[in-house]
Amino acid sequence: MSFINENFLALQDSYLFSTIAKKVAKYTEENPEKKIIKLGIGDVTKPIVPACLEAMHKAVDEMGTEQGFKGYGPEQGYLFLRKAIVENDYQARGVDIQEDEVFVSDGAKCDCGNIVDIFSQNNKVAITDPVYPVYLDTNIMSGREIIYLPVTEENNFKPALPEEKVDMIYLCFPNNPTGTVLEKEELKKWVDYAKQNHSIILYDSAYESFITEDNIPHSIYEIEGAKEVAIEFKSYSKTAGFTGVRCAYLVIPKTLKGYTKQGEEICLNKLWNRRTCTKFNGVSYIVQRTAEATYSIEGKKQIRQNINAYLENAKIIKEGLEEGGFTVYGGVNSPYVWLKVPKGMTSWEFFDQLLEEVNIVGTPGSGFGKNGEGYFRLTAFATKENTIEAIERIKKWR
Ligand code: MLT
């Protein structure tokens, strides 16, 4: 008899975005004539920029030659990409990260989920509520005790430090789903807490390229002491339109330590490297060359144009909804806009009405956690035309 991991039985039946996709597919099948505008899952619509596409084509051609062909690559990622990451994403901001502290992967979602492999099941985990469901579900799967940190209008969607000692803390800024950010001084409090309590911060920085305001850290390592307490996750998905290409990376500084039951310090970079070599064969050469091109002069320029266009959409959503009488958060340093649903309605009721009456797809706040009830998330990743049309439809309907 093969016994199952019963922790899975504690999960909700279906992953949030799968549930939404199923509902939308059913509605589309029953109403094929309707034009549905999707502002639900954070999937991009702008194609890969020319600089990246050129690098991708070149890498494809190389693979067809004897000299250029690549088989298995380094599990941690090719040095050319790790060098580009270190120089552009860290050294350019005055942060000292080394190439062997960077692990290239096929997505931040996978990284955020897989990282739990190297931590004890007995760790107590702090997770904000609402939250990107991957942190929560993967910790439920491995049976850890979870402490929820409420994120509400009352605390400006900025979690308070845990009242008890926790071992692992998930933070995501700019935040998914609320779109809020932490200033340097605010993030420093978390780093200090983690230092005092020997906790690890799992810092999801997937939306860093959408930061527009000053004094907002683009990396947790801009905060003094963070290299002793934090793992950082970054992604090319929203930044460079790689949701389908798949490429991301995580950083585990060599100064970051975990503990055995006996209190012996263990280098987490070493553990993750061991895990990576066993379970992963690296991201394809073609994809890594494409990712490298995001750091070329042309690549940076083209990507910035796309991000600015998405930020413009976020502004259209935010200002349009405000004009329509909604209370709205986020959308300034983030592609996500977090709005309050009309009084007396649940998030899912609002979802259903929006889908059926104006054919707009969003994400119900309660799908991100109990405190998300009464809220709704819209994304800025549609085309400008569709974004304008969606907001006009909502305003008229309201
Ligand atoms: C979201 O919509 O929250 C994200 O696109 C999901 C993801 O990145 O996995």
Side-chain angles (χ1 to χ4, degrees), residues 14 21 23 27 36 47 71 73 115 127 165 167 205 224 252 261 290 309 316 364 398:
S14 162
K23 272 182 174 262
Y27 182 81
I36 296 175
I115 196 71
I127 291 181
K165 184 179 170 335
D167 308 300
S205 191
E224 204 195 316
I252 310 189
K261 279 198 226 96
T290 314
I316 292 168
R398 166 105 164 152

Side-chain angles (χ1 to χ4, degrees), residues 15 17 40-43 109 132 176 207 238 336 368 377:
Y15 181 62
F17 293 108
I41 191 166
D43 199 0
K109 177 181 184 178
Y132 175 46
N176 179 12
Y207 301 95
K238 324 289 157 139
Y336 295 129
F368 296 103
R377 195 193 74 175

